[in-house]
Amino acid sequence: QVQLIESGGGLVQPGGSLKLSCVASGGTIKNTVMGWFRQAPGREREFVSAISWAGGNIYYSDSGKGRFTASRDDDKNTVYLEMTSLKPEDTAFYHCALSRSLYVGQRAADFAIWGQGTQVTVAS
């Protein structure tokens, strides 16, 4: 069974940057769609980004467009989310997720395997 483990979260000042990593074990991420989602207390899970099997198609939420960059390294079974110009409203628990569908979904229901997440806090 594939397991996803996120890392790289922490406390960062507004305007700063963080790079999150998601490492898969127990299986390969080759031929998968990988997604990033976030959830803040009292809010629904929110789509952040999704990246296609080959990495040629990448989608971002309106809030992340121009600030966030998703990438993947299938040889290392790892996907990344580079975040810059961070705002306090970006504070959330960030999860990566995996789908074996060819479709690049942007809904939580499109992804079957989820990591436990890593906390990102943007504050002074």
Side-chain angles (χ1 to χ4, degrees):
Q1 180 67 38
V2 177
Q3 182 180 5
L4 305 177
I5 301 177
E6 302 93 336
S7 63
L11 175 64
V12 64
Q13 294 183 342
S17 63
L18 283 174
K19 187 174 184 179
L20 307 182
S21 299
C22 173
V23 179
S25 62
T28 179
I29 67 167
K30 292 182 179 179
N31 301 323
T32 71
V33 173
M34 300 297 296
W36 287 97
F37 294 80
R38 68 187 184 186
Q39 187 168 22
R43 298 194 62 189
E44 295 184 351
R45 186 175 296 165
E46 178 185 12
F47 170 79
V48 177
S49 181
I51 182 168
S52 65
W53 289 17
N57 294 303
I58 307 175
Y59 301 89
Y60 300 96
S61 64
D62 289 339
S63 63
K65 185 84 69 174
R67 300 190 300 127
F68 296 176
T69 302
S71 61
R72 65 190 298 159
D73 187 338
D74 288 3
D75 290 335
K76 296 181 179 179
N77 275 335
T78 304
V79 295
Y80 306 94
L81 183 68
E82 178 75 28
M83 303 184 293
T84 188
S85 300
L86 285 164
K87 309 171 183 178
E89 63 193 67
D90 294 317
T91 296
F93 210 65
Y94 284 71
H95 301 262
C96 67
L98 180 151
S99 171
R100 296 199 180 278
S101 173
L102 183 63
Y103 170 71
V104 183
Q106 299 183 27
R107 303 176 301 170
D110 295 322
F111 295 83
I113 301 175
W114 293 78
Q116 293 299 307
T118 184
Q119 178 68 39
V120 172
T121 302
V122 185
S124 298

